[in-house]
Amino acid sequence: MENEKPPGVIESLFDRTTDYIETRAELLKLKAVKGTSEIVSGLVSKIVLIVVFCFFLMVLNIALGLWLGEMLDKTYYGFFALSGFYLIVGLIIYASRKSWLVTPVANSIIKKIS
């Protein structure tokens, strides 16, 4: 009779274990939601900034193209010169995209997730 456990000890242990597992699952869900919300809010704010910056660059490029065209006596010459410049910049970025874009973006995503 000494080794007999009082009734309800096993049920109590089972209930506590179940509560622990449910609490742990809820904690993991909340951590996932927090991480997702941080990533999404960061992306949204960066997208808004990129859109505003693109509008700024677009207007600046139009003004620069018109100014260069005035300097070269033909408006379209200014835009040709500007597009040639961007072609060269684009080729340089394309050639070094792995070290300038792919690796830093992948590292920042990994850092944000972990």
Side-chain angles (χ1 to χ4, degrees), residues 2 10 17 28 33 48 54 65 81 87 97 107 113:
E2 292 178 22
I10 293 177
T17 304
L28 289 174
V33 167
V48 168
C54 284
L87 176 65
R97 71 189 176 279
N107 288 340
I113 289 174

Side-chain angles (χ1 to χ4, degrees), residues 16-56:
R16 286 184 180 175
T17 304
T18 305
D19 289 342
Y20 174 77
I21 291 171
E22 288 173 358
T23 303
R24 189 75 176 152
E26 186 67 25
L27 179 63
L28 289 174
K29 286 180 194 175
L30 291 174
K31 284 183 178 181
V33 167
K34 179 185 176 200
T36 304
S37 67
E38 286 177 355
I39 290 171
V40 170
S41 65
L43 283 174
V44 168
S45 67
K46 287 179 182 173
I47 288 171
V48 168
L49 287 173
I50 288 170
V51 167
V52 169
F53 189 69
C54 284
F55 280 122
F56 166 75

Side-chain angles (χ1 to χ4, degrees), residues 46-100:
K46 287 179 182 173
I47 288 171
V48 168
L49 287 173
I50 288 170
V51 167
V52 169
F53 189 69
C54 284
F55 280 122
F56 166 75
L57 282 179
M58 184 177 61
V59 171
L60 180 67
N61 283 313
I62 291 171
L64 188 59
L66 290 171
W67 179 74
L68 282 173
E70 187 177 308
M71 294 293 141
L72 299 172
D73 291 330
K74 299 277 186 189
T75 304
Y76 55 90
Y77 285 172
F79 288 102
F80 280 143
L82 202 55
S83 64
F85 170 75
Y86 282 119
L87 176 65
I88 293 169
V89 169
L91 291 173
I92 291 170
I93 290 173
Y94 180 78
S96 55
R97 71 189 176 279
K98 182 125 177 133
S99 63
W100 287 0

